Amino acid sequence: MQLNEYMSGSIRNIMATAYKSVLTNPREARFVLKLQQTFARSEKRRAKVKQEEGIDVPPFLISSISTTCNLSCKGCYARANGIADDPGKSQRGTMSPEEWKQVFTEAAELGINFSLLAGGEPMMRKDILEKVAEVKDMIFPIFTNGTLIGPSYMEFLKKHLNMVPVISIEGTEHGTDERRGKGMFRRAMMAMEMLKKENLFFGTSITVTTENMDFVISDPFVNQLQDFGCKLIIYVEYVPTERGTEHLVLSESENTRMEKVQEHQREQFPNMVIISFPGDEKHMGGCLAGGRGFFHIGPDGAAEPCPFSPFSDSNVLSLGVSGALKSPFFKRLRDARLVGGEHTGGCALWEHREEVADIMQSLEGATINEK
C-alpha cells in the first residue's frame, strides 16, 4: 500500500473513532460528520496536486506559533532548539496572525487536514489562535500545558470546535510536577474538568520515558483519562534535548512492547483516539518528517523537517506551503533514506543528527535555526 493511501486510511479511522466518541453530543457529532466529508474532499485535493504539480502533500503539519512559555519544563525541546524562551528573551520572531492564517488557508486548499499548534505555549498567543480558527477546513490540536484554560478560553473553544486542546502531562502527579513545576498536575486536571463539563472534545499529550512508560500505557491509567473526559491520547516518545538524559529514551524492545500494548488499548477503548509518535511511523515505511508525512513550521515561518531537527533552507512566508514542500533539503533527506528509511523506533532524525547537519551544511544558502 502506498504511503498516501495508508495515511488517508488512518485519518478516516481517526475521524470514525472521533465520531463514535461524540455521539452523545449532537453539536460535536454534527461537526465531526461535516469534517469527515471535508476530509474526503481534501484527500482528492492531495491526489490532484500530486497528479498536476508532482507535489506530495502531507495530511498534517506541526506549527510552533509562540516563542514564549509561562513554564520552564525540564527537557523542553522548544527551549533547547531556540524556538521558545521566557517573555522578551526569545531569539526568533513569529509571523503575524494574518500571516499564519494565510499559511493555513493555503494548506487547506492543498488538502492538508491538521496542524498541531505548539510553541512555547500556544495559548499565550490568543490573537493567532483567533485568526487561524477561521480556517474551518482544518483541525488545530493545541498542545498546551493547560494553565491558561479559563472562562475566556472556554467560550473561544465552544465557538470554534476545530480548535482542540491537547493537555500535556507526564502521567503521575509527582512526574508532572517534577518536570513542569509544583501544582501543574492539579492545574491540568482542573482544565480537564472544565472541558468535560462543557462536553468539549479534548485530548492529552504524554511524553513517554523509561521511567513512566509502564504506568502511562496501563489500562487503569487510560481508563482514568477516559473518566476525566479525555477522548484523545498522543504518546510522544522522549527525544533527548539535554546531555545526560539519554537513559530516558525507550529501547527497541520497549518500543515493541509499547506498540503491542497500544494495539490492545485500541480494542479495549474503541471510543478513544490513541496515537503514538514517532512509534506509529514504523507502519508507514519510516520517519514521516521532511514533508514525507508532515513538516514543522517554525515561529518565523522556517520550514523544518520536524521540531526535533531545527534546520531549514526555505520559508513558508516567502515560498508558501507548496514551495516549502519542494525544499532541496527535504529531498536530500528522503534520497538519503534518513526519512522513509528503516525504522526500529525512536526519532530517526535525532539518531542520525550528524548526517542531517552534514546535508544541511552542504546546501548553499541554507540556514540552521539552532542554538
Side-chain angles (χ1 to χ4, degrees):
M1 183 182 293
Q2 294 293 319
L3 174 64
N4 288 340
E5 294 176 15
Y6 189 99
M7 295 195 72
S8 294
S10 297
I11 290 172
R12 289 194 294 271
N13 290 336
I14 288 171
M15 296 306 294
T17 303
Y19 183 66
K20 286 190 292 184
S21 75
V22 297
L23 279 175
T24 58
N25 183 340
R27 183 168 178 252
E28 290 267 12
R30 286 194 299 271
F31 173 72
V32 174
L33 184 60
K34 182 180 178 181
L35 270 180
Q36 286 177 316
Q37 298 166 348
T38 299
F39 285 6
R41 293 193 295 271
S42 298
E43 189 176 334
K44 293 179 181 178
R45 289 178 196 165
R46 294 195 297 271
K48 184 178 180 181
V49 173
K50 171 65 173 176
Q51 182 180 14
E52 295 182 354
E53 302 180 39
I55 300 174
D56 288 306
V57 179
F60 73 97
L61 302 169
I62 301 176
S63 306
S64 295
I65 65 171
S66 174
T67 58
T68 56
C69 186
N70 58 339
L71 299 182
S72 297
C73 303
K74 294 180 180 179
C76 175
Y77 78 86
R79 288 181 184 271
N81 292 342
I83 294 174
D85 214 323
D86 296 323
K89 296 182 179 179
S90 177
Q91 298 182 15
R92 296 174 68 174
T94 186
M95 294 189 291
S96 69
E98 292 75 16
E99 288 168 338
W100 277 111
K101 181 184 177 182
Q102 175 187 331
V103 167
F104 292 135
T105 298
E106 182 199 357
E109 290 171 350
L110 290 169
I112 295 174
N113 298 139
F114 303 88
S115 180
L116 283 62
L117 302 182
E121 170 51 56
M123 284 193 166
M124 293 186 74
R125 293 302 309 266
K126 193 175 182 183
D127 56 335
I128 294 176
L129 295 179
E130 287 176 334
K131 185 59 64 173
V132 304
E134 297 172 8
V135 184
K136 296 300 184 182
D137 285 355
M138 290 182 66
I139 292 180
F140 297 96
I142 307 169
F143 277 56
T144 175
N145 55 45
T147 59
L148 300 180
I149 294 179
S152 175
Y153 256 117
M154 291 304 299
E155 291 303 312
F156 169 76
L157 294 170
K158 286 190 289 184
K159 181 180 178 181
H160 300 288
L161 297 182
N162 62 330
M163 310 300 285
V164 178
V166 179
I167 300 172
S168 299
I169 59 174
E170 265 58 57
T172 65
E173 180 172 2
H174 171 76
T176 300
D177 287 3
E178 198 275 334
R179 185 183 183 200
R180 299 178 180 275
K182 187 176 181 180
M184 291 303 103
F185 182 81
R186 292 184 180 274
R187 294 278 293 274
M189 294 303 103
M190 288 172 58
M192 290 187 188
E193 288 176 3
M194 285 187 282
L195 293 163
K196 181 181 180 180
K197 184 177 180 180
E198 296 295 342
N199 208 9
L200 287 169
F201 189 100
F202 72 91
T204 185
S205 167
I206 302 168
T207 300
V208 185
T209 70
T210 54
E211 294 180 347
N212 72 352
M213 186 186 84
D214 288 337
F215 177 76
V216 299
I217 66 173
S218 68
D219 280 2
F221 177 68
V222 176
N223 193 64
Q224 183 182 31
L225 288 177
Q226 185 171 246
D227 290 343
F228 285 147
C230 179
K231 297 180 175 68
L232 164 69
I233 301 177
I234 301 178
Y235 290 110
V236 182
E237 297 165 27
Y238 179 72
V239 176
T241 58
E242 297 178 356
R243 294 185 183 278
T245 63
E246 290 81 4
H247 66 285
L248 298 175
V249 179
L250 303 185
S251 66
E252 184 175 343
S253 62
E254 287 169 326
N255 273 293
T256 300
R257 183 160 63 89
M258 182 172 165
E259 180 182 354
K260 291 180 178 177
V261 170
Q262 287 169 352
E263 289 176 3
H264 156 78
Q265 287 177 343
R266 288 167 181 140
E267 295 179 359
Q268 186 73 15
F269 303 95
N271 294 337
M272 294 187 76
V273 178
I274 298 175
I275 299 170
S276 179
F277 178 81
D280 285 343
E281 292 181 331
K282 292 168 69 173
H283 302 289
M284 301 182 189
C287 177
L288 296 175
R292 183 171 177 267
F294 74 93
F295 70 92
H296 175 245
I297 302 176
D300 52 1
E304 303 168 350
C306 85
F308 300 115
S309 189
F311 305 95
S312 178
D313 69 341
S314 58
N315 191 292
V316 297
L317 193 55
S318 56
L319 298 176
V321 176
S322 59
L325 288 170
K326 299 174 185 176
S327 156
F329 178 45
F330 290 175
K331 184 178 185 303
R332 290 279 295 275
L333 290 177
R334 292 192 294 270
D335 291 345
R337 302 286 287 169
L338 294 177
V339 298
E342 183 179 356
H343 198 295
T344 57
C347 177
L349 291 181
W350 181 79
E351 291 173 2
H352 299 279
R353 53 197 178 279
E354 292 182 1
E355 295 169 65
V356 174
D358 288 344
I359 290 174
M360 188 68 206
Q361 292 173 351
S362 70
L363 293 169
E364 185 178 354
T367 59
I368 301 178
N369 297 314
E370 186 174 43
K371 268 189 177 180

